[in-house]
Amino acid sequence: MRLYLPVCLLPSVLLTGCVTILDIQSNVRVADKPPFERILIVSRLPNVPPGYASTFVGAFPSQYTVCSVDVSPIDFETPDELVSRQLNECKSQVMLTLDLNRSFSGNSGKYIAGYNNIYLEMSSVATGKPFWKAITLSTTTALSPREIVQRLISDGVLSGKVAVADSRYR
């Protein structure tokens, strides 16, 4: 009887927790990482609300200046024009791009289902070379800015501590 109670309560405790863990794989090329303080966040994610990229601005440590741009298929400017304009306005040194990695599907025939993982890449604006890449291991539509920034810190790309971000994507 005593063993039965903890075994029954454990699943309910685990299922009601508010902690989210983002499963991602990442890779850093330290030799290509430039010194930087100004970052542009570019969201190319189609299934997020307008202004999603701006939720990343408040999550970065205070020593970084962060700008953002959401690329949408209904914009009259091309994605390159939007990004170029924002790079010039913000004088960003690096760019963190969030995009879908449409790499696999499941099932077949009329039951086929596509799975989209989110691909992240941080690259130097001066050279265009990426120095940090990551991909989510689970399918999702929006990422927590805090978790991504924490991953950048743990990978040694950023220094400092995660700031408080927009509560919608914590």
Side-chain angles (χ1 to χ4, degrees):
M1 181 68 173
R2 287 185 179 180
L3 181 61
Y4 178 73
L5 186 59
V7 171
C8 290
L9 289 177
L10 182 61
S12 64
V13 169
L14 291 175
L15 291 175
T16 59
C18 296
V19 177
T20 60
I21 298 173
L22 181 63
D23 293 322
I24 64 172
Q25 289 179 343
S26 63
N27 196 7
V28 182
R29 183 175 283 171
V30 179
D32 291 335
K33 180 184 167 260
F36 64 91
E37 295 173 347
R38 303 180 73 80
I39 304 165
L40 176 64
I41 309 297
V42 178
S43 172
R44 296 177 184 265
L45 301 174
N47 297 325
V48 294
Y52 169 70
S54 66
T55 63
F56 279 76
V57 174
F60 280 80
S62 61
Q63 67 266 33
Y64 296 99
T65 303
V66 183
C67 294
S68 66
V69 63
D70 288 288
V71 176
S72 170
I74 61 171
D75 288 325
F76 288 107
E77 293 177 278
T78 66
D80 290 340
E81 289 170 339
L82 284 168
V83 170
S84 180
R85 181 171 41 87
Q86 200 66 2
L87 281 171
N88 290 333
E89 286 179 16
C90 297
K91 299 182 182 7
S92 300
Q93 299 156 308
V94 298
M95 186 167 53
L96 174 61
T97 305
L98 295 83
D99 204 349
L100 291 180
N101 179 41
R102 300 170 181 93
S103 61
F104 61 97
S105 62
N107 302 328
S108 62
K110 69 179 186 177
Y111 300 105
I112 196 163
Y115 298 97
N116 297 319
N117 298 67
I118 296 178
Y119 172 71
L120 300 103
E121 180 180 283
M122 188 173 270
S123 59
S124 165
V125 172
T127 65
K129 286 185 176 182
F131 57 90
W132 183 79
K133 293 183 177 188
I135 191 163
T136 58
L137 300 177
S138 61
T139 58
T140 184
T141 57
L143 297 172
S144 161
R146 291 176 57 91
E147 291 182 64
I148 297 302
V149 171
Q150 185 59 51
R151 184 56 172 248
L152 287 163
I153 291 169
S154 67
D155 285 349
V157 174
L158 300 175
S159 58
K161 294 183 180 185
V162 178
V164 177
D166 189 322
S167 62
R168 292 177 294 177
Y169 300 104
R170 282 189 190 185

